[in-house]
């Protein structure tokens, strides 16, 4: 009997006892290829000696120092590293323990900024449906994952949600990608007008959508249009790169590929690669200066922010990425992964879309390709695929409710940046078997 309050209370989980490189081994000796990096976390894979050594060194120096009393060399070095390579104008990094905390801090930072500059009437956030920003109450409120939000809705602040940038399903046949993006910007503009631009704090969006809808990449010009609209109304742009940032899409920050600079950007997951819990908010220097001229403090904090061992792990991860040319590896191996997925699933009768960027790729499953009709949610195809993949010795990140929170299934892949060609071959081969076995397990007449 377990005394752990597991995510699924009626599930018996295998026990992970060892992990090295791109694999995890359980107590029964079964080895699994970690093709999802857990939840797009393990960017360097498992057991990297440089990261482990950095953590050991930091534990021997200072394992913990509360940030109301001290800063540490390693926190200062990590902030220097991140700001030096961040989008233009970023001035400070605020360290937390994960993605939800990063989004929560960014929301409060954005609100306090407007209080500091004498615009306390700003109280509204706008975000997108089919998004995910975390599980704390503020992050859950701006998120658009209906399944996660539903039972907690009475506890959530009121947030306006607009359409996601979901080209596969929502772009009309008579629209170019650019025209579709412009239509979405007009929808956002109308939402701002209804609320009053002077009352809106920020627009919050994942640069590349992660878990909820599966590696949705913005169409050309969309985020630039959003940036221009925010500037027109003095609204902050908060980009959530907790899952898609820190090199996952082939550049350190995913927004680099869009030519867009946010006011606040949240990072986590690939920041520390899973070696320690860490996340961060990076803030534009002009926001920091408003705090400095005003109250002189950010009215927020947690016990473990700026944790020295977490900062040491993250600094080591980022230096390995830079030293070993892993951003280029993500671009190269990401192209290889896409080629393999296209070869295996491009003509598959139940794969409607293959999408993503870098080592952040997804398949959307459909009952019928021409109509894009999804499978009936009662069959939980995504859960069947996960179960079959584990049976094949493969970890992937499937999710249901892709389309609207209820309908649709996708599988997300986010392997470590160190993934090799033979690993990619094995990932796609095992995934192909898992998808076909899951489909074969469906009741007669369901597909």
């Amino acid at each position: 009997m377990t005394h752990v309050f597991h995510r699924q209370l009626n599930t018996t989980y295998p026990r992970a006892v060892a992990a090295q490189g791109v694999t995890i081994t359980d107590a029964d000796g079964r080895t699994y290829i970690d093709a999802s990096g857990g939840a797009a976390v393990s960017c360097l894979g498992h057991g990297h000696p440089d990261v482990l050594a950095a953590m050991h060194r930091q534990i021997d120096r200072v394992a913990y120092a509360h940030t109301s009393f001290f800063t540490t060399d390693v926190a200062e070095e990590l902030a220097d590293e991140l700001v030096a390579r961040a989008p233009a104008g970023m001035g400070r990094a605020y360290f937390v323990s994960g993605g939800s905390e990063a989004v929560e801090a960014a929301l409060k930072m954005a609100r306090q900024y407007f209080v500091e500059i004498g615009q306390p009437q700003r109280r509204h956030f706008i975000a997108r449906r089919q998004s995910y920003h975390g599980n704390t109450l503020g992050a859950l409120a701006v998120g658009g994952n209906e399944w996660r939000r539903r039972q907690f809705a009475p506890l959530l602040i009121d947030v306006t949600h607009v359409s996601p940038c979901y080209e596969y399903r929502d772009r009309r046949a008579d629209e170019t990608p650019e025209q579709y993006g412009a239509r979405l910007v007009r929808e956002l503009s109308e939402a701002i007008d209804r609320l009053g631009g002077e009352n809106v704090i920020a627009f919050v969006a994942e640069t590349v959508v992660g878990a909820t809808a599966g590696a949705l990449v913005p169409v050309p010009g969309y985020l630039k249009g959003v940036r221009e609209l925010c500037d027109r109304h003095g609204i902050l742009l908060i980009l959530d790169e907790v899952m898609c940032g820190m090199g996952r899409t082939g550049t350190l920050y995913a927004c680099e590929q869009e030519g867009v600079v946010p006011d606040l950007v949240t990072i986590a997951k690939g920041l520390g690669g899973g070696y320690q819990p860490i996340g961060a908010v990076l803030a534009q220097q002009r926001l920091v200066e408003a705090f400095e001229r005003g109250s002189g403090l950010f009215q927020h904090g947690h016990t473990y922010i700026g944790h020295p061992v977490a900062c040491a792990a993250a600094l080591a991860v980022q230096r390995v990425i830079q030293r070993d040319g892993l951003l280029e590896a993500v671009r190269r191996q990401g192209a290889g992964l896409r080629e393999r997925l296209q070869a295996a699933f491009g003509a598959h009768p139940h794969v409607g879309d293959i999408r993503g960027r870098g080592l952040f790729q997804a398949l959307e499953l459909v009952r019928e390709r021409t109509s894009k009709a999804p499978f009936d949610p009662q069959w939980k195809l995504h859960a069947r695929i996960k179960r079959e993949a584990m049976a094949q010795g493969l970890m992937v990140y499937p999710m249901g409710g892709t389309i609207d929170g209820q309908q649709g299934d996708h599988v997300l892949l986010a392997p470590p940046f160190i993934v090799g060609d033979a690993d990619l071959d094995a990932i796609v081969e095992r995934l192909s078997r898992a998808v076909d076995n899951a489909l074969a397990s469906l009741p007669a007449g369901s597909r």
Side-chain angles (χ1 to χ4, degrees):
M1 174 182 173
T2 182
H3 289 98
V4 175
F5 202 131
H6 288 293
R7 287 174 175 244
Q8 299 280 345
L9 299 182
N10 296 318
T11 296
T12 300
Y13 292 92
R15 295 192 182 212
V17 298
Q20 189 65 43
V22 301
T23 64
I24 295 179
T25 302
D26 70 17
D28 294 326
R30 289 181 54 83
T31 297
Y32 306 81
I33 299 176
D34 188 358
S36 60
V41 174
S42 300
C43 56
L44 294 189
H46 304 276
H48 197 290
D50 290 23
V51 184
L52 300 181
M55 291 168 63
H56 281 297
R57 285 194 302 271
Q58 187 59 47
I59 289 171
D60 289 340
R61 294 182 63 192
V62 179
Y64 174 71
H66 196 281
T67 53
S68 68
F69 297 96
F70 297 100
T71 186
T72 57
D73 287 342
V74 71
E76 297 292 339
E77 290 175 33
L78 177 59
D80 290 346
E81 178 87 11
L82 292 174
V83 168
R85 302 174 67 199
M90 292 294 174
R92 301 286 177 93
Y94 183 89
F95 296 120
V96 292
S97 297
S100 295
E101 280 189 22
V103 171
E104 202 81 15
L107 299 178
K108 293 177 75 174
M109 198 177 287
R111 164 61 186 172
Q112 187 176 335
Y113 165 73
F114 284 112
V115 173
E116 299 282 0
I117 66 171
Q119 297 182 29
Q121 82 285 353
R122 290 187 185 260
R123 62 189 186 277
H124 297 295
F125 288 98
I126 304 175
R128 302 188 296 188
R129 295 187 293 276
Q130 292 309 96
S131 62
Y132 180 58
H133 298 293
N135 260 330
T136 52
L137 291 178
L140 199 60
V142 292
N145 185 309
E146 286 305 313
W147 172 73
R148 294 182 189 268
R149 287 169 50 93
R150 193 173 300 124
Q151 66 176 320
F152 303 109
L155 309 180
L156 305 181
I157 62 171
D158 187 26
V159 173
T160 298
H161 288 87
V162 295
S163 297
C165 188
Y166 194 169
E167 184 180 11
Y168 170 64
R169 289 201 171 268
D170 294 346
R171 179 165 69 88
R172 298 194 305 256
D174 64 347
E175 288 179 312
T176 65
E178 291 79 5
Q179 289 170 332
Y180 168 55
R183 174 160 62 86
L184 294 178
V185 173
R186 288 194 298 274
E187 180 189 347
L188 175 58
S189 180
E190 291 165 1
I192 292 171
D193 289 343
R194 286 194 301 274
L195 296 169
E198 72 282 3
N199 298 320
V200 178
I201 296 172
F203 178 65
V204 186
E206 296 163 279
T207 308
V208 178
V209 174
T212 296
L216 292 181
V217 176
V219 294
Y222 164 66
L223 284 178
K224 282 188 176 180
V226 167
R227 174 74 272 182
E228 292 167 3
L229 185 59
C230 289
D231 288 342
R232 193 181 314 156
H233 293 279
I235 295 168
L236 299 183
L237 175 60
I238 301 174
L239 289 183
D240 178 349
E241 298 205 353
V242 166
M243 185 171 266
C244 65
M246 295 292 95
R248 174 57 59 189
T249 66
T251 51
L252 192 61
Y253 297 87
C255 59
E256 295 176 48
Q257 297 172 64
E258 302 303 317
V260 169
V261 174
D263 299 294
L264 297 165
V265 61
T266 60
I267 55 176
K269 297 187 185 291
L271 172 60
Y275 288 90
Q276 284 281 278
I278 189 167
V281 183
L282 272 70
Q284 283 286 327
Q285 182 62 25
R286 64 182 178 83
L287 274 66
V288 177
E289 290 170 358
F291 282 68
E292 290 174 334
R293 290 191 302 268
S295 66
L297 63 88
F298 176 32
Q299 193 176 328
H300 184 63
H302 296 286
T303 300
Y304 294 112
I305 64 175
H307 193 282
V309 182
C311 289
L315 182 60
V317 167
Q318 296 309 308
R319 286 178 172 170
V320 169
I321 289 172
Q322 191 169 15
R323 182 197 70 198
D324 294 353
L326 293 183
L327 296 179
E328 170 56 33
V330 170
R331 294 190 288 271
R332 181 181 64 253
Q333 296 301 80
L337 176 58
R338 173 61 72 91
E339 289 172 5
R340 289 166 171 83
L341 291 172
Q342 197 65 45
F345 296 103
H348 195 289
H350 297 297
V351 175
D353 194 26
I354 303 171
R355 55 180 179 252
R357 187 178 282 170
L359 286 173
F360 199 49
Q361 301 282 335
L363 307 177
E364 182 168 338
L365 287 302
V366 293
R367 185 168 51 81
E368 202 278 316
R369 282 175 62 125
T370 303
S371 67
K372 304 179 184 178
F375 285 91
D376 191 319
Q378 70 172 312
W379 305 126
K380 298 185 183 297
L381 178 59
H382 59 284
R384 293 170 185 258
I385 291 173
K386 181 177 181 179
R387 185 168 56 249
E388 292 292 342
M390 287 290 280
Q392 296 288 333
L394 179 68
M395 295 163 56
V396 295
Y397 195 162
M399 188 68 71
T402 309
I403 302 169
D404 57 8
Q406 292 187 329
Q407 298 189 89
D409 302 272
H410 70 265
V411 180
L412 187 65
L413 298 174
F417 300 173
I418 60 170
V419 68
D421 290 342
D423 301 319
L424 293 178
D425 290 339
I427 287 168
V428 175
E429 288 168 5
R430 295 182 192 190
L431 178 59
S432 182
R433 290 196 295 269
V435 168
D436 287 342
N437 290 347
L439 289 166
S441 75
L442 295 174
S446 62
R447 62 188 177 107

